[in-house]
Amino acid sequence: MKFTLSWLKDHLETEADVQQIAEAMTMAGLEVEEVLDPAAKLAPFTVAKIVSAERHPNADRLQVCQVETVDGMKEIVCGAPNARAGLTTIYAPIGAYVPGLGMTLVEKPVRGVVSNGMLCSASELELSDESDGIQELPPEIPVGTPVAGLFGAEPVIDFEVTPNRPDWLGVAGIARDLAAASVGKLKHFDIAVVRGAFPSPISVRLEAPEMCPVFAGRVIRGVKNGPSPAWLQKRLTAIGLRSINRLVDVTNLIAYDRARPLHVYDVAKLSGTEIVVRAGQVLAATGEHEHLIALDSKTYAASAADCVIADAGGERPIGLGGVMGGESTGCDETTTDVFLESAWFDPLVIAQTGRALGIHSDAQYRFARGVDPVSVTPGLELATRLILDLCGGEPSDIVFVGEPPASPAPFAFDPAYVKRLSGMDLDDDRIGTILGQLGFLVQAAPTGQSEPWLVTPPSWRRDVEGPADLVEEVARIEGFDSLPDTPLPEATRPAGGVLSPRQARVRTARRALAALGYAEAVTWSFTKQSTAALFGGGDDRLVLENPIAADLDCMRSSALPNLVQAAARNAARGFADAALFEIGPIYLGDGPADQRTVIAGLVAPHAARHWAGVGEDALFTLKGDLTTLLEEIGAPVASLQLVQGQNRDWWHPGRSARLQLGPKNVMVEFGELHPRVLKSLDADGPMLAFEIVLDNVPEPRGKSGKARGTADLSALMPLTRDFAFVVEDAKPVGDLVRAATGADKALIADVRVFDVYRGKGVDDGFKSVALEVVIQPREATLTEAEIEALTAKVVGAVEKQGGRLRA
């Protein structure tokens, strides 16, 4: 929405300049987008006079002019046909930016003659759409006069209108709010009734009152249409509207001035004497929706959801009600008799029509947000007066059909609610004054009585429905900068810290997984019952009675199905190589004790194609990430048992395992998800995942809020010894690693598997596992005897696990 300061002053007595107006609008809740100042754009341009004009020596259509300018005499090359001696025009110096051409003037020769500037037309300065040559000005204007002052260029305020405030789509509504904010005094104008001289020859029939509850109009005969006067053209052009003719410009002016859209029909182009307001129809002959060529020269198909204005007994569509008129009945210079329409259309219908047909006219924009129903007749009277003043003519009586929607109902309001809700300590008189200036009817209780007020919103404020809305209005007009800034009372900090041990673990896990390259997903705690059944859930006890969606009807028994579906959605959009995690609840039953908190992670290794493929590296990488995460949250990693072959159906057999502290405390399940499960979820494999039951992870010992101790680093160099043990093929390698590590916890710093061999030299059903043992001396360098003794301990510990030192 745009308007100029002079336009605002038609409704508001104020001495404020444009910047003060913009500031006051911002403080009153109107979001100012920009203040456009065309005077700044025209600042380089001044009045000049051509002293002489001679034909260019090298071009027939160019003239070399000697021009008297504010900078002295200048030689300027000009190609305009009206350039002549004695002409007063507009001068642009070298370095000026010409907005109509989108260029900055530089000194350069034109056909061998250097032009020291430019003589401009009105279109080149964006003062008009067309021009036949350079601008001709009255000869009495002195040379050097700034052009901005001659054309009355003034700043334009552009602001954003919120959907709940359609009254701001008229300058009068903006003036009303600014007057309430003490920026000036609102001017009140009584719209005079224009008496009809004859009965209207055009009648109106409402067939769709649910779309158009009320319709008013009148005929004005004997009008003389043509270009609008300069003041009207200037007002519309300043806000970016193109002047069309007097009749159309009047309707555009009132739409922006009073937020009241109107439309004029050429009576000579109407078929019949009746206008019918109805819903769009399907043509019986073709079975297609009826079509309308609108004023924008585009053809639109009107469905039953659209409001149509028709003539010829309701057969021919001549407009889309509240959206745009038809080309067939548009007004032009030959128009002598018009039918002026002022109606009220249902906002929802107009909004849907605009979206369905892609039309965003000024009328559609206003009706979709809700035009004041009470403005139907006043808007018609105001437009009639302007048309008579500008075009002459004789008006008929008004045709009024239908019943406007009821005005907003009054409700009780306690002025003390302002302080209780906003903190502003205002007198009742000030509150009543603000509401009264905004157009609310306030009926206060008699003096000495504490009963609440009865407040009736005005017809143009249908967004106000209760006391809280009135508090917002009072706070907005008083100024949001007046809101008290009383700080909240300080909350006592818990002695043990803000986070519980569980919360601290969750935060640590979240940061650790993010550092490993996983992206956090936040999904529903629900899933589809059939999906939950794939992951051991789907119990009827966990089915919701009133789900928010058909595919979210069951509490989830695992976080993995939601992560699988999230990865599949990413893959469908071109991001197949996903790494996701989620920390949240799962439900194993319908009791409070059946809820668990899990940390779930999923990797979909779909990187760019490579000859090496995915292989087993992805699974080992996942296990490495899992181990890192468990160490970060303080899980007893060294004590965990790796168990294979006991995972549940959704895991791939032979490519999955579990980590546990004994058979009764399964902490983690991890591995590759079964292809059958992925296919059921429409996801492409492979996908690898893990799920940690946080409730089963014991709290770390000796870390109850204490800071980490100093690093225990030895000054001696470590040494390594390699061992190769033959064990049964089914024996987990992790058991050997734990046994070797426990042989001497003081000296053995690490044990790593660097080779697993099956083949020649190793019996069938067995494998050779190569271990590298890192020995870290503490107090002194180890002797050969001490190393041999330690080696024997390692061999003995592994032999207890079924390992045999390979020869």
Side-chain angles (χ1 to χ4, degrees):
M1 174 67 186
K2 297 179 181 179
F3 65 94
T4 61
L5 183 59
S6 62
W7 196 340
L8 177 68
K9 288 184 176 181
D10 284 352
H11 299 278
L12 186 71
E13 293 181 7
T14 180
E15 298 298 325
D17 59 25
V18 67
Q19 295 299 333
Q20 291 171 326
I21 293 293
E23 177 67 21
M25 290 174 64
T26 300
M27 297 311 299
L30 289 85
E31 184 181 348
V32 176
E33 294 281 343
E34 188 179 10
V35 177
L36 306 170
D37 189 0
K41 182 175 64 177
L42 297 176
F45 304 95
T46 55
V47 174
K49 180 170 290 188
I50 300 176
V51 176
S52 64
E54 299 178 358
R55 179 178 171 182
H56 192 290
N58 301 319
D60 293 339
R61 297 186 178 182
L62 297 179
Q63 297 187 77
V64 179
C65 303
Q66 303 300 321
V67 184
E68 182 184 359
T69 72
V70 68
D71 301 320
M73 293 296 297
K74 296 287 183 179
E75 186 173 72
I76 298 176
V77 178
C78 181
N82 62 333
R84 61 186 184 274
L87 177 65
T88 301
T89 186
I90 299 174
Y91 159 69
I94 297 297
Y97 177 79
V98 184
L101 301 178
M103 59 175 286
T104 300
L105 297 181
V106 295
E107 185 177 333
K108 65 177 182 180
V110 180
R111 293 287 185 95
V113 178
V114 175
S115 182
N116 298 288
M118 178 179 177
L119 302 179
C120 303
S121 66
S123 62
E124 288 165 340
L125 301 188
E126 295 183 341
L127 297 173
S128 68
D129 293 333
E130 300 177 358
S131 57
D132 296 330
I134 58 176
Q135 182 69 31
E136 297 191 20
L137 299 175
E140 62 270 15
I141 300 178
V143 171
T145 301
V147 170
L150 295 179
F151 289 91
E154 59 176 324
V156 176
I157 296 177
D158 184 4
F159 74 100
E160 187 69 26
V161 178
T162 55
N164 66 317
R165 292 303 304 271
D167 56 306
W168 283 345
L169 291 170
V171 179
I174 303 165
R176 184 188 302 112
D177 276 25
L178 290 175
S182 303
V183 179
K185 183 179 179 182
L186 186 66
K187 298 179 181 179
H188 295 280
F189 298 99
D190 293 328
I191 299 177
V193 175
V194 180
R195 298 189 179 279
F198 56 94
S200 173
I202 304 294
S203 62
V204 177
R205 173 159 49 97
L206 287 182
E207 290 187 356
E210 70 282 0
M211 294 180 169
C212 177
V214 59
F215 191 106
R218 76 186 333 160
V219 170
I220 305 176
R221 64 190 183 191
V223 300
K224 184 179 181 181
N225 200 11
S228 294
W231 70 268
L232 181 51
Q233 292 190 35
K234 175 185 171 184
R235 178 152 290 183
L236 297 178
T237 303
I239 61 172
L241 293 181
R242 182 172 60 91
S243 176
I244 299 174
N245 56 54
R246 295 175 191 174
L247 292 171
V248 176
D249 288 355
V250 165
T251 62
N252 287 335
L253 176 72
I254 296 176
Y256 277 81
D257 189 70
R258 303 297 176 104
R260 162 35 65 183
L262 304 160
H263 188 66
V264 283
Y265 302 89
D266 190 330
V267 171
K269 298 177 182 178
L270 291 175
S271 178
T273 60
E274 182 183 43
I275 286 179
V276 180
V277 183
R278 58 171 174 80
Q281 298 176 347
V282 175
L283 299 176
T286 62
E288 297 180 350
H289 292 297
E290 60 184 343
H291 289 75
L292 167 75
I293 302 176
L295 287 171
D296 60 0
S297 299
K298 296 180 180 179
T299 302
Y300 299 99
S303 69
D306 305 319
C307 183
V308 170
I309 311 298
D311 64 358
E315 293 298 322
R316 183 182 71 149
I318 59 173
L320 291 168
V323 178
M324 186 175 291
E327 190 177 66
S328 61
T329 56
C331 297
D332 53 31
E333 286 74 12
T334 64
T335 300
T336 56
D337 299 339
V338 297
F339 181 79
L340 178 62
E341 166 202 303
S342 179
W344 191 87
F345 300 93
D346 181 78
L348 184 59
V349 172
I350 303 306
Q352 291 173 339
T353 297
R355 283 194 296 268
L357 301 181
I359 303 178
H360 304 286
S361 64
D362 287 338
Q364 188 273 340
Y365 188 78
R366 284 161 173 77
F367 278 121
R369 282 155 177 75
V371 173
D372 180 10
V374 178
S375 68
V376 170
T377 301
L380 185 65
E381 297 282 16
L382 180 59
T384 301
R385 174 52 59 195
L386 282 172
I387 290 174
L388 295 179
D389 290 344
L390 298 178
C391 306
E394 186 179 30
S396 73
D397 295 332
I398 292 178
V399 178
F400 192 95
V401 183
E403 186 71 26
S407 296
F411 55 85
F413 175 68
D414 184 357
Y417 196 50
V418 172
K419 181 173 177 58
R420 186 160 67 249
L421 199 61
S422 70
M424 289 182 169
D425 192 5
L426 301 177
D427 295 335
D428 289 359
D429 289 345
R430 175 57 179 159
I431 297 172
T433 299
I434 291 175
L435 295 178
Q437 289 178 322
L438 291 175
F440 294 87
L441 178 62
V442 179
Q443 295 174 274
T447 305
Q449 296 185 16
S450 58
E451 295 181 6
W453 298 351
L454 192 65
V455 179
T456 305
S459 58
W460 60 83
R461 291 301 307 274
R462 295 176 180 269
D463 60 305
V464 177
E465 298 176 346
D469 296 324
L470 296 182
V471 174
E472 180 184 359
E473 291 301 297
V474 172
R476 182 176 65 84
I477 296 302
E478 186 66 18
F480 291 127
D481 56 340
S482 301
L483 290 170
D485 54 357
T486 305
L488 293 173
E490 281 195 29
T492 304
R493 188 182 183 88
V498 175
L499 299 180
S500 66
R502 169 68 62 83
Q503 292 171 327
R505 269 190 163 181
V506 168
R507 185 173 68 172
T508 301
R510 182 175 285 112
R511 292 178 175 178
L513 286 167
L516 290 169
Y518 290 72
E520 183 172 12
V522 180
T523 68
W524 295 103
S525 294
F526 323 114
T527 188
K528 196 173 183 179
Q529 186 178 14
S530 59
T531 301
L534 296 173
F535 289 80
D539 192 324
D540 289 341
R541 296 175 301 165
L542 298 177
V543 175
L544 303 176
E545 293 183 359
N546 186 24
I548 60 176
D551 57 348
L552 296 173
D553 61 348
C554 184
M555 305 298 291
R556 67 183 183 185
S557 58
S558 170
L560 294 180
N562 289 354
L563 289 182
V564 171
Q565 291 172 325
R569 284 192 295 271
N570 278 272
R573 289 158 178 79
F575 298 94
D577 194 24
L580 306 173
F581 79 92
E582 181 175 12
I583 304 176
I586 62 171
Y587 305 88
L588 307 180
D590 58 351
D594 295 322
Q595 181 175 328
R596 303 284 188 274
T597 300
V598 298
I599 305 172
L602 181 138
V603 176
H606 292 79
R609 291 186 298 174
H610 192 269
W611 64 271
V614 176
E616 297 183 354
D617 291 345
L619 183 57
F620 287 119
T621 301
L622 179 79
K623 183 183 176 185
D625 293 344
L626 177 58
T627 303
T628 300
L629 174 60
L630 291 172
E631 290 174 346
E632 286 291 328
I633 64 175
V637 177
S639 303
L640 292 178
Q641 300 171 352
L642 179 71
V643 180
Q644 292 178 277
Q646 298 184 22
N647 274 29
R648 289 173 280 192
D649 294 342
W650 56 92
W651 297 105
H652 197 303
R655 300 183 189 177
S656 59
R658 59 169 55 174
L659 296 174
Q660 61 187 36
L661 287 172
K664 295 183 179 181
N665 188 359
V666 179
M667 287 174 40
V668 187
E669 291 185 353
F670 72 97
E672 185 174 337
L673 293 170
H674 201 291
R676 170 183 53 80
V677 174
L678 297 180
K679 184 178 180 180
S680 299
L681 297 178
D682 197 22
D684 294 331
M687 288 190 183
L688 299 91
F690 63 80
E691 193 164 41
I692 303 171
V693 181
L694 195 57
D695 307 71
N696 295 346
V697 181
E699 295 286 342
R701 298 176 181 177
K703 291 187 178 181
S704 55
K706 296 182 180 179
R708 181 180 296 179
T710 58
D712 183 16
L713 302 177
S714 174
L716 302 175
M717 288 292 293
L719 66 150
T720 62
R721 286 293 184 268
D722 294 344
F723 302 84
F725 295 98
V726 177
V727 294
E728 293 182 357
D729 206 6
K731 183 66 176 179
V733 176
D735 293 348
L736 306 184
V737 173
R738 280 191 296 273
T741 303
D744 191 326
K745 294 183 178 180
L747 291 177
I748 296 178
D750 194 13
V751 178
R752 294 188 285 262
V753 179
F754 67 87
D755 186 40
V756 177
Y757 171 74
R758 299 175 182 87
K760 186 177 180 180
V762 177
D763 296 338
D764 291 341
F766 288 82
K767 60 186 175 184
S768 173
V769 179
L771 304 179
E772 180 187 46
V773 178
V774 180
I775 303 170
Q776 178 61 65
R778 294 292 175 180
E779 297 178 356
T781 302
L782 298 179
T783 63
E784 284 295 330
E786 290 173 328
I787 295 174
E788 290 298 330
L790 180 60
T791 300
K793 288 183 180 181
V794 172
V795 173
V798 175
E799 286 179 344
K800 291 180 181 179
Q801 294 292 326
R804 173 173 55 83
L805 190 65
R806 184 180 176 189

